[in-house]
Amino acid sequence: MPLQTNATGEIFQGNDPAHPNPEQVLEFLRQSLISNGWTGQVSPAERAVGSRGVKFLANISKAGTAYTLEIFVFRNLAWAHRRDSEKRIQLTEDYDHHADEFQRAYDGNRYCLLLGIYAPSPDEVVFCAWKPSGYLEHANPTSCYTTVEVIRDAYLFGFGSTLDKKQRRTYAFRPNFFHYYISNISRLHSEGAIGDPPDEPEEDADQAPRLSGGSNIIRYGAPGTGKSYAIDQEIEGHRNFRTVFHPTLEQSDFFGSLKPVVVDEKVLYRFTPGPFCLALADAVNNPTQRVNLIIEELNRGPAAAIFGDIFLLLDRQSNGSGVYDIASPSPEFTQWFETTTGSIDGRVRMPSNLWLLATMNSADQGVFPLDTAFRRRWAQVYEPLNFDQAPEISFNVAIQGGGSNEVPWRVLAVEINAILTQRLMIAEDRLLGPWFVKAEDRNADGSIPGKVLLYLWDDVLRHHGREEIFSSDVHTYGELVLFMLEGRPILSNGLLLRLAERVVDAGPAALGADIAGRRIGADPAEAQKDPVAPPPEAQ
């Protein structure tokens, strides 16, 4: 059954959309080409091209730039009957009939375009594009392939790209990217069109080989599991750049943009690089060294929008270099990049010695979801709950009848997590991680840190289940703080009982063995049956 997609990026099984007729194709082209200040004409040529092809002529111009376009549109973009996700057009005319156009080089301002159209509705048009010279001397019929995933990427990000089995580069884009495609067509199709797939740019003969292995990695898990710590261990001794995503971050902040600077008491505008460009340039300039760009809290900002067209750079070859490159976004960036790195080709590609390392916790409130197209371009590393590595600190916990017990943090957190999972079915990525608190978080009076209480009260138990963790006498967070200041119990009787079983009746050695054998969500009596078995997270 063929796969389809739509403007929301959903992929589903269904029949191919109806093919647009020539009049509809003409209207799609006119709306795309004569827009955003471009003027000109789009008209049908004198003849059809094969059984489903139509040729159009377009002359468009804007601000001194003009193009003459001979556009072959094959309207039979449909399921290829090989793989469910594959789409194709078929060239159903003898090659001699359009040999002159297909052989035309991408120079000057006269181009030949080879297109297919995917249009579930007039408002969901995506153009698919192939390089005509990739099909020199083609047979009749000949298929030009793309995939539904590339069309989905065009819906989500405006632009998508892939290589077919013969390593010819194909594209898909929404109408508002049509002028971008034309303006960059020679660059977009400069590699991988007929022969080998794109490789890392050749190094100078006197330059050391570039370090390989770069990748995109997301570390995720509950808060306090040590995601950032694990990254710090990995990047120690390397060249590192760090940033944090947040809701108001934009691509211009992450990549870089024109900003005012004062030079000789004059205000000038110059390209100011963001963290991505700083890391990129450093990796280009230091080919034998590993360079890391660390992105903390990846999903606290709209990641796909922040990356923008940099998204295309995330696809990597086996050696870590980028599969695709993008055109320089502005002359100012080109000047800065050339000055900084000496690169003069005007292209941006991911070097094989640049690592992107990100952290995220999907359960946090106020985070942005990561769509599948974005996330599948990252390796996923889950950080489990492992209280063998928890800090050695204790907190004073008030008990019924007056007084308090000193409870190790690892005991307190494990018992709270057990109630959250066993009784309230809370997902693991919302539990307390072993490093949620550190030694410096201990208050002078030894009370439980406010960030633990507030996280449980306001984030984890906002809608239900507070009575499982907190005393039934506490009705507001303000009351909870007041009870704690007065030395009154703030934890539920059930939790206090669990803590007493772990602390009061066990010596230090037994306590250590007991925590080592404790499973999150396990009944206390069951956990005591095998006190030395390691927890699943540590296996």
Side-chain angles (χ1 to χ4, degrees), residues 53 72 176 278 310 313 331 472:
F72 290 84
N176 56 324
L278 290 173
I310 305 173
L313 304 183
S472 59

Side-chain angles (χ1 to χ4, degrees), residues 55-70:
K55 183 180 179 182
F56 297 89
L57 300 177
N59 290 281
I60 58 174
S61 62
K62 177 182 178 181
T65 300
Y67 294 105
T68 297
L69 307 174
E70 295 176 276

Side-chain angles (χ1 to χ4, degrees), residues 62-83:
K62 177 182 178 181
T65 300
Y67 294 105
T68 297
L69 307 174
E70 295 176 276
I71 308 171
F72 290 84
V73 183
F74 288 81
R75 300 174 293 113
N76 59 328
L77 182 67
W79 182 30
H81 294 275
R82 298 194 311 176
R83 291 188 297 124

Side-chain angles (χ1 to χ4, degrees), residues 222-226 382-393 395 407-418 420-421 428 430-438 452 455-456 511-521 534-539:
T225 49
Y382 177 69
E383 294 292 343
L385 295 165
N386 182 5
F387 281 89
D388 288 342
Q389 305 297 325
E392 298 289 345
I393 53 176
F395 301 111
V407 180
W409 160 244
R410 66 179 63 196
V411 176
L412 179 64
V414 165
E415 293 305 328
I416 290 175
N417 287 344
L420 294 178
T421 55
E428 186 173 351
R430 302 185 67 190
L431 303 182
L432 294 170
W435 294 97
F436 194 97
V437 297
K438 301 176 183 177
V452 175
Y455 174 69
L456 293 170
L511 178 61
D514 187 52
I515 292 300
R518 186 85 167 110
R519 299 195 319 273
I520 291 177
E537 294 81 8
Q539 291 179 353

Side-chain angles (χ1 to χ4, degrees), residues 3 31 46 77 79 108 139 164 177 202 213 263 268 271 394 432:
L3 295 177
Q31 292 179 2
E46 296 180 357
L77 182 67
W79 182 30
D164 68 11
F177 275 77
E202 293 183 4
V263 178
L268 304 176
F271 180 81
S394 299
L432 294 170

Side-chain angles (χ1 to χ4, degrees), residues 142-321:
T142 287
S143 295
C144 306
Y145 291 97
T146 187
T147 68
V148 72
E149 289 85 1
V150 176
I151 299 172
R152 183 269 316 278
D153 288 352
Y155 277 132
L156 290 174
F157 309 108
F159 213 82
S161 180
T162 189
L163 295 173
D164 68 11
K165 290 186 177 181
K166 293 186 178 181
Q167 305 305 322
R168 292 173 292 202
R169 195 177 296 194
T170 68
Y171 293 91
F173 50 88
R174 300 196 74 163
N176 56 324
F177 275 77
F178 209 127
H179 292 113
Y180 171 86
Y181 175 73
I182 297 169
S183 301
N184 293 274
I185 193 167
S186 61
R187 295 290 191 178
L188 292 171
H189 288 295
S190 62
E191 296 172 321
I194 302 175
D196 297 330
D199 295 319
E200 184 76 9
E202 293 183 4
E203 308 289 350
D204 294 336
D206 59 350
Q207 188 178 31
R210 183 171 296 279
L211 179 69
S212 62
S215 58
N216 318 315
I217 302 172
I218 296 175
R219 290 187 176 271
Y220 68 102
T225 49
K227 299 181 288 292
S228 295
Y229 177 79
I231 287 179
D232 286 343
Q233 296 298 107
E234 180 179 350
I235 67 176
E236 185 176 1
H238 299 297
R239 307 177 69 87
N240 305 313
F241 298 82
R242 195 183 296 266
T243 188
V244 179
F245 277 12
H246 54 80
T248 61
L249 192 72
E250 298 181 349
Q251 187 188 26
S252 59
D253 303 309
F254 182 55
F255 186 84
S257 63
L258 281 179
K259 292 186 178 179
V261 295
V262 178
V263 178
D264 296 332
E265 299 183 352
K266 295 181 180 179
V267 178
L268 304 176
Y269 282 85
R270 290 182 176 174
F271 180 81
T272 301
F276 180 84
C277 282
L278 290 173
L280 175 69
D282 196 71
V284 171
N285 287 334
N286 298 278
T288 63
Q289 300 186 51
R290 171 171 173 168
V291 178
N292 301 290
L293 174 59
I294 302 97
I295 304 173
E296 301 281 6
E297 308 291 352
L298 178 69
N299 58 338
R300 285 197 174 275
I306 292 171
F307 270 80
D309 55 357
I310 305 173
F311 173 86
L312 292 174
L313 304 183
L314 293 177
D315 283 307
R316 304 240 193 185
Q317 300 181 69
S318 59
N319 69 346
S321 63

